[in-house]
Amino acid sequence: MRTRWLAVVRTPLGAAALLLMVSMVTLAVLAPVIWGDRAVQVDTDAIHHGPSAAHLLGTDGLGRDILARVLVATRTSLGLATLAVAIAVGLGTLIGTAPSVLPRRLGRLITGAVNIAVAFPALLLALFFAVVFGVGTQGAVLGIGLAGAPSFARLTQTLSASVDGLDFVAAARVAGVSRFRILRRHLLPNIAEPLVVNATVGAGAALLAFAGLSFLGIGVQAPSYDWGRLLGEGVNRIYSNPAGALGPAVAVMFAGLAFNLLGETTAAVVGGRARTRPASAPGFAAAAVEEATGGGHTDGSAALENDVILHTDDLHVSFPAAKEWVTPVRGVSLTIRAGEAVGIVGESGSGKSLTALAASRLIEEPGVINAARLDFCGIPLLTTPERETRRLLGRSLAMVFQDPMKSFNPTMRVGRQLAETAVEHQDLDRRSALARAIDRLHAVRVPAPARRARQYPHEFSGGMLQRAMIGMGLMNTPRLIVADEPTTALDVTVQRQVLRLLADVRAETDAAILLISHDIAVISQMCDRVLVMYAGRIVEDLPVAELRTARHPYTRALLDVVPGLDADRTSPLGVIPGRPPEPSQFPTGCAFADRCRFATAACREEDPLLRPSDSQVDGDHRVACWHPVDGDRLLAQQSFVPIEAMKAGEIGG
Amino acid sequence: MASLVVDPSTPSAAGRVLDSPWLSFTLRRGARFLVSMWVLVTAAFLMMHLVPGDPVRAALGIDAPADLVASRREALGLNDPLLTQYVDYLRNLLSGDLGISMGSGEPVGTMVVERLGSTVQLALLAFVVAGAIAVPLGVAMAVATRAGRRRGVELVFATSSMLAAAIPEFLLAVGLVYVFAVNLAWFPVAGAATLSSFVLPVLALAVGPTAILARIARVEMLAVLQDDYIRTARAKRLPARRIYLRHALPNALTATLTLGGLMLTTMVAGTVLVENIFAWPGLGSRIVQSITAKDYPVVQAIILIYGGLVLLVNLLVDITLALLDPRSTIREA
């Protein structure tokens, strides 16, 4: 905490706040001692004088020096504001915590009263209470204090409600700790920090409110005076002596600013905010882009067969982090052909979703994509201007995201959300686009599609929304559907429907599918080919049919942890020991080495390249490993599920 | 025969309205409004009785003859039992009778109604100005500074909006009077006679809320731009305009509107100070005169009107919010 304070004070804002506050408090202490006499000294020869060397801000109706009065009034103004905010915080905390101690019904009554009171602006409440308590200093202090109480009560309620839900409070309650003790020991200490921040800001507001009331003549009464009262007197004579009004106005403003800045600073300390970012783009980026734009590019695409839908070569995705750039995807090369279903599998953090987003050009700044090539339907996406690729991608690339509940706009009807893509990319008018949307909803088996199209996403179930999301992709004629964990957020029975729908769509439209999943069983049901990703790289690329002979130790580990129907239910579920490395801490050499039981010193020195597996003749099985596993040798001692059994069991039903 | 079969997928229009979560939400909110109104009326009624000393004596002054005070007390019904007074007060309110002024003996109703118009005009105009500037400004700032872009612009915006938000309306009003009325003499310093006399009071009221609202709009818009459905919209390759205005803005507006409503209620209160600086012939200058003159029936009536306005604004904000974001009707239930 102390170091955080020091850090904040060193920022310009924090230093300014502290300086302002210290000088205000010093003035409040010293000014009445130094200028107290001068401030009340009546001079009948100098009534209503303008600014002069003797009276920098002029004199008032009794010839008293206005500057001296402004300085002396610091004590009254700050003191009364502090007093008022103390009343507000004290009363507010009392009211706010009362519901957690009092009987339930009484507590609800108090909560209701606070809810009503908090709707009224503080100034109105202050006016009301100032009238009730009588016009004058006392009435104003009580008025502003009481007016501030509801918002502090609300704050305390909200804060204690959130603390109340925490485990240790629940534990204390179960343990039979009394409600008062819970309040004192657990609730109050935990809400103290935000309360202090708000009290500081509240003191500023109280100061301004007080100045306002006194200015109106409802606060401090003569012969006492505060800044508000001086301001009121000054404004009456603003034409003859503007300085007399501006002096107190500036004082109020500085004091208000001091409290506000102090509040911000305190909030920064409590919240512990800090921001830094790296200076420039990653070093390899320039080289990679150069490579992409410079040579080989046009020649390369000519060599590709025209049934290639997506082709990436050496794809990198980088993000700026605290000090340097991190690159969670580093050198992914893949090719997807028309009608093909390719799966990417890996643990979370392996870079599989980022690979899919990058391939679809959906990585936003500050993220950076670099690749030797990134072609979609033969168009180089990285070098073609976005406005030229927009229609192509809009028509031919469909996305299905993980959480359908969050991936639909909650404020738009589902039908409109489907229709707008046809309006945009097929130049349909809204009516026929909506008709097509209803037709597509029907195609993805949403019942009563015409009615459903008029509904909002929250009226749909998750599975139905995910089907609608697929329908959204079918508004046009997709060549590729990228499905990023499309069933993870859904429950198991619905998962199968969605997967089957994707398979049907593929069969009917000949669209290629790129399926991202952490579940190798799902991929083996759906796809022709599997790409296994680990730490931002593809470590193995093989046909699903050959999963049985997978050679990378990581792929084998993934297969091993899939429980089969005949798995021994008394033994614990299999896990891969250890955790994948963070993108900021990718090691040199093979990233899997630390978790691999075949790893040798060589593995930690150089990263293995993705190369055709030497046991293969036709070359469609690639692996990046120094010590690839001999599949047949291991089969005997491993207990992974036979893929054929999985396929038959899952998707057939 | 087929026409007799009711298709469950297309309910009758009436059925749809009755089932609408929006309607039941509006009814619940209406009920809450009435309860709050009742609390407000009761508080206003009690105010007269909580005032220290005899309110009539206080209003007429210590020199007033005892029989005048007694007859005024009688006329105001202050000698009746409290409950009778309360019932009478409620009954009079319902028939639009706000009582009579202690000072002049005029009916409070006519006195107050003619001033209500100029106050509402002032507050609404300031609110419209604030909203018209703040929302586009905040949204543009969010788009320009999203994901850490243009740090310099962000810093300038953050600093200037914080300063503008920290200046209270009455200090700003004094500053505006000094610069534009006293020094430059561009605008009149007092009254509501001409169109140009609106400029300074509206500015004084609108600047702070504009700054706060623009900050909120920016933060809300930034948060919305992080949401998954914005990625969906980008995946549909919609033009940037449509993504920002059609997909992001309505979602960002819901929170902005909630706080904007709050701004409007504080603006209603802010008129009290601003009216007194610019001698604006509204409720604000009247309530201060009446408080100083201890004319409690007038104070009571104006407090009631201010409170009622605030509650009405809150109700309207909630209903509009439910129209904008259908989920808010469920969240509340």
Side-chain angles (χ1 to χ4, degrees), chain B residues 111-188:
Chain B
M111 219 160 135
V112 162
V113 163
E114 62 188 32
R115 286 178 166 253
L116 176 63
S118 24
T119 293
V120 168
Q121 245 177 358
L122 189 61
L124 271 186
L125 204 58
F127 181 69
V128 169
V129 168
I133 297 172
V135 172
L137 182 66
V139 167
M141 278 298 151
V143 171
T145 63
R146 70 188 190 281
R149 272 165 246 213
R150 298 188 186 84
R151 295 268 157 174
V153 175
E154 189 192 331
L155 189 70
V156 169
F157 173 75
T159 316
S160 55
S161 63
M162 202 189 78
L163 284 178
I167 303 174
E169 61 278 80
F170 65 102
L171 288 188
L172 186 64
V174 171
L176 289 173
V177 166
Y178 174 66
V179 175
F180 293 105
V182 176
N183 274 357
L184 298 171
W186 286 358
F187 301 105

Side-chain angles (χ1 to χ4, degrees), chain A residues 360 407 417 420 425 451, chain B residues 9 232 234 236-237 242 247:
Chain A
S360 327
S407 297
Q417 298 194 45
E420 65 176 348
H425 299 300
R451 183 172 62 94
Chain B
S9 67
T232 308
R234 292 203 300 122
K236 282 191 257 183
R237 318 291 160 173
R242 192 171 170 82
H247 283 267

Side-chain angles (χ1 to χ4, degrees), chain A residues 310-378:
Chain A
L310 178 71
H311 177 75
T312 78
D313 187 5
D314 204 22
L315 176 76
H316 287 76
V317 182
S318 310
F319 290 93
K323 287 202 180 88
E324 55 202 327
W325 287 78
V326 294
T327 306
V329 176
R330 28 180 209 156
V332 168
S333 303
L334 57 86
T335 304
I336 299 176
R337 289 164 205 281
E340 195 181 16
V342 174
I344 302 184
V345 72
E347 285 164 286
S348 45
S350 60
K352 54 191 191 305
S353 289
L354 283 175
T355 301
L357 286 177
S360 327
R361 290 294 273 132
L362 285 174
I363 299 283
E364 261 212 306
E365 263 190 79
V368 175
I369 307 175
N370 288 291
R373 281 177 62 177
L374 172 51
D375 292 0
F376 180 73
C377 295

Side-chain angles (χ1 to χ4, degrees), chain A residues 4-28:
Chain A
R4 269 197 281 164
W5 271 110
L6 280 175
V8 169
V9 167
R10 281 200 204 100
T11 64
L13 191 76
L18 207 66
L19 192 71
L20 264 178
M21 208 60 224
V22 168
S23 43
M24 282 288 161
V25 172
T26 315
L27 207 56

